[in-house]
Amino acid sequence: MNGEPGVDHHDMIEQRELLSAYLDGELSARERQALAEHLTSCDVCREELDALRQVRTLLRALPSPALPRSFTLPETGALPTTTVRATGRTRYRPRVAHVAQWAGGVAAAAGFALLIGSAMLGHSPITAAPSAASNAFVPAAGAAHVAPTGTQNLLQHTGSAGAAATPNATAHLYDRATATPVPSSANLAAEHISETADIGQTVQAVLPYAGAGLASGGLLLLVGGSVVARRQRP
Amino acid sequence: MKPRPDEATSEQKLIERARAGDRTAFNGLVERYQHRAYGLALRMLGNPDAAADVTQDAFISAFRAISSFRGSAFQTWLFRIVANGCYDYHRARNRHPIVSLDEALEHEQTLDVLPGQESRLSEELVEQYWEPERSALRGETIALLERLLLRLPPEQRTAVILCDIQGMAYEEIAQVTDASLGTVKSRISRARAHLRVLLATEGELSGRGRRPESEPSMAERRNISE
C-alpha cells in the first residue's frame, strides 16, 4: 500500500481529522502544505478526502427550513414564560435528571397507594389537619414502605395543586405542548421518597403495582391529592 | 456569515438599545437571526414544535440576559443559548439521547471503514440525490439527510450542523459548544465519516426507477465490501 513515510494509515481516524479540517480550511499553512503534497501521491487519502467532501457537499446543499412563525417578543407586557422543556427546570427543584428514570415506577406506585388508601378510608371522618389525613394513608396497602413524611409532603404539594380542584389548577403541571404530566410532582415524590431508606426495596416491592407508568402515576397522584384536599375542607 | 461593516454598526446599536430594555430594538435582532436560530434547533431536534419552543425560549432568555453579552459575535452567543436549549429539551423530556448506543455504533463504524476498502460513495448512489444538473437536492434526499443527522450522537450532530449548515468556523463552534478546538475537529470528522457509512448502507432512495424499497429491505441490501 502506498504511503509516504510518516503517514500512518493505521491511524486513519487521526488522518481523517486532518483531511476533514483541510476541507474546512482549518489547517495551518504548514499543515496544509504538507497534506497537499502527501495527497499528490496517496490514493487512500485522496479517496478519503473525496468521501468526506461528498458528505460535506450534500449537507451544504440542504435548504434552510421555512420559518414557522415570527419569534419576536411582544412589545409590551409580560414576557412569555419559557417552557419547562426548554429550560429543563420544573417547579420542583433540580436533581431531576438522575431520579427521573425510575421516578415513573415509584410515582405510579405512590399514586396507586393514594387511591387504595382513600378507598379504604371510605367516609370515615377526617379532621381538618392535613397531617392527620396523611397519617391515615400510612397503613394503606402497598404503601408500607412509603414514609409518612414523604407522603405528607407529597400531599401538601398535590393538595395545594388540587385545592382549586379545577383542571386549570393542575394544568401547569402538565407539559402544555404534549399534554403529558410533567414529571414535576412525580419527581417531588421521588425526591421525598428517596429520603427514606431501602429505596431499592421500595421500588422492587411496588413495581408490580406500578401499572402504566409515569403518566398514570402522575395523574393518580393529582387525583388522589385533590380528593384528599376536598375532604379536608370543613 | 459575519455582518458587513454597516450592518455591524447598526447591529451594535440594536444591542446597545436592547441592553437598555428596548424590546423593539431587540426584535430587530430577532428578525435578523431567527431564521438561522430556528434552523439550528430544527436540525438538532428534528421536531418542528420543539424547535419552535426552543427558539422562542432562546430569544426570551437572550433578552433577559442581554446585559451579560459582551462584544464579539451576537450569533455565537445566541447559538449557544439555542444549543443549550436543545440539550435541556432532551433532559427535561427524560430523553437520555441514545448516546451510549450511538457512541458505540459510531466507534465501530469509523473503525470499519479502513483505508484500502471502499470509502467513496458510488457515483451512482450520489447521482440519485440530485435534481437534474445538480441544481438542488431532491426532496427525498433532504428527508434522508435530516433523518440520518438525527442518528448521530448529539455532540457530533451539533458540530457538523454548525459547520456545514450554519457555515461557522471551528473557533466559533468551539465557543458555541464550549469545547476545545481539537474536540470540534474530531466531532466534525467523525460526524462526516458516520454519515458516509449511513448513506452507504441506508442511502438508497426509493424512487430510482426500481421497485419501491421499504426501509428494512434497504438496510438488508448492504453493499459495503467488508
Side-chain angles (χ1 to χ4, degrees):
Chain A
M1 177 157 314
N2 66 341
E4 299 242 333
V7 177
D8 179 7
H9 283 118
H10 296 290
D11 197 6
M12 199 58 204
I13 308 251
E14 202 174 295
Q15 188 67 2
R16 179 185 289 137
E17 278 182 25
L18 264 183
L19 293 165
S20 176
Y22 176 76
L23 268 181
D24 296 321
E26 294 274 353
L27 292 183
S28 71
R30 195 176 11 205
E31 286 173 316
R32 195 165 56 240
Q33 178 83 352
L35 189 56
E37 272 176 34
H38 172 72
L39 285 169
T40 58
S41 56
C42 179
D43 291 340
V44 170
C45 285
R46 251 204 317 276
E47 289 276 305
E48 184 67 23
L49 185 67
D50 281 346
L52 292 170
R53 187 184 286 117
Q54 278 176 325
V55 173
R56 183 172 177 261
T57 303
L58 288 171
L59 288 174
R60 283 158 71 98
L62 278 173
S64 60
L67 205 60
R69 65 167 211 258
S70 168
F71 292 103
T72 50
L73 307 180
E75 302 271 318
T76 54
L79 288 175
T81 50
T82 51
T83 64
V84 170
R85 289 174 309 166
T87 61
R89 287 189 211 104
T90 63
R91 277 187 73 201
Y92 312 103
R93 242 348 300 192
R95 292 160 33 214
V96 162
H98 65 278
V99 300
Q101 279 178 321
W102 50 263
V106 178
F112 272 106
L114 281 171
L115 265 194
I116 292 165
S118 63
M120 283 173 62
L121 285 171
H123 295 286
S124 54
I126 299 176
T127 66
S131 54
S134 65
N135 284 337
F137 282 78
V138 171
H145 296 284
V146 179
T149 42
T151 319
Q152 174 181 8
N153 290 332
L154 170 66
L155 286 174
Q156 281 175 350
H157 280 276
T158 54
S160 66
T166 63
N168 287 338
T170 56
H172 67 274
L173 292 174
Y174 284 79
D175 180 323
R176 58 186 166 80
T178 64
T180 53
V182 170
S184 52
S185 50
N187 286 325
L188 176 72
E191 283 187 77
H192 287 282
I193 290 168
S194 71
E195 289 161 13
T196 71
D198 310 320
I199 186 59
Q201 286 180 340
T202 306
V203 173
Q204 285 184 341
V206 301
L207 269 180
Y209 304 99
L214 180 61
S216 52
L219 190 57
L220 288 165
L221 281 170
L222 294 165
V223 168
S226 59
V227 165
V228 171
R230 277 201 178 99
R231 286 182 172 173
Q232 288 171 3
R233 296 203 190 94
Chain B
M1 296 306 140
K2 300 252 181 330
R4 297 193 312 269
D6 51 333
E7 279 181 9
T9 341
S10 64
E11 176 165 308
Q12 241 349 88
K13 289 199 184 119
L14 287 176
I15 294 172
E16 299 282 318
R17 301 213 315 256
R19 272 219 192 91
D22 182 347
R23 279 196 210 173
T24 311
F26 184 79
N27 281 339
L29 293 167
V30 174
E31 273 158 13
R32 194 169 290 202
Y33 289 104
Q34 60 180 345
H35 205 153
R36 274 170 273 179
Y38 175 73
L40 172 62
L42 181 64
R43 297 263 178 254
M44 282 181 70
L45 298 175
N47 174 336
D49 289 335
D53 276 350
V54 168
T55 306
Q56 184 70 85
D57 285 2
F59 282 120
I60 294 169
S61 302
F63 180 66
R64 291 207 177 114
I66 190 93
S67 50
S68 68
F69 167 67
R70 302 252 173 278
S72 74
F74 184 78
Q75 180 175 273
T76 308
W77 182 71
L78 175 69
F79 275 16
R80 183 155 176 179
I81 298 174
V82 173
N84 286 338
C86 290
Y87 292 134
D88 286 346
Y89 168 82
H90 277 301
R91 276 202 296 276
R93 286 181 60 93
N94 300 334
R95 288 260 176 89
H96 296 283
I98 345 164
V99 172
S100 49
L101 267 181
D102 267 72
E103 274 188 337
L105 173 71
E106 165 255 333
H107 192 244
E108 279 174 38
Q109 300 274 25
T110 51
L111 288 178
D112 273 351
V113 188
L114 294 173
Q117 297 181 343
E118 185 180 307
S119 64
R120 288 189 76 204
L121 301 169
S122 72
E123 278 301 329
E124 213 191 11
L125 186 77
V126 174
E127 271 312 301
Q128 61 168 334
Y129 291 153
W130 296 89
E131 295 287 356
E133 282 153 35
R134 296 223 161 185
S135 51
L137 290 177
R138 285 174 56 189
E140 268 188 281
T141 314
I142 295 167
L144 170 70
L145 288 170
E146 286 172 344
R147 221 162 48 232
L148 296 184
L149 269 174
L150 295 173
R151 300 268 293 274
L152 299 178
E155 297 83 10
Q156 285 182 23
R157 190 190 321 155
T158 309
V160 80
I161 287 172
L162 289 171
C163 182
D164 285 339
I165 298 180
Q166 298 290 343
M168 283 184 142
Y170 284 16
E171 177 53 47
E172 280 180 282
I173 297 171
Q175 287 173 42
V176 171
T177 56
D178 195 24
S180 71
L181 266 185
T183 303
V184 169
K185 184 159 62 163
S186 168
R187 285 173 179 170
I188 292 170
S189 172
R190 299 180 104 95
R192 287 169 174 159
H194 196 162
L195 282 170
R196 190 234 286 117
V197 172
L198 287 172
L199 283 168
T201 53
E202 304 180 31
E204 186 134 344
L205 299 185
S206 60
R208 279 186 74 177
R210 307 187 189 180
R211 61 180 170 85
E213 303 277 2
S214 60
E215 285 275 12
S217 60
M218 262 195 270
E220 282 162 15
R221 294 179 58 243
R222 292 163 194 261
N223 56 3
I224 270 200
S225 56
E226 69 269 18

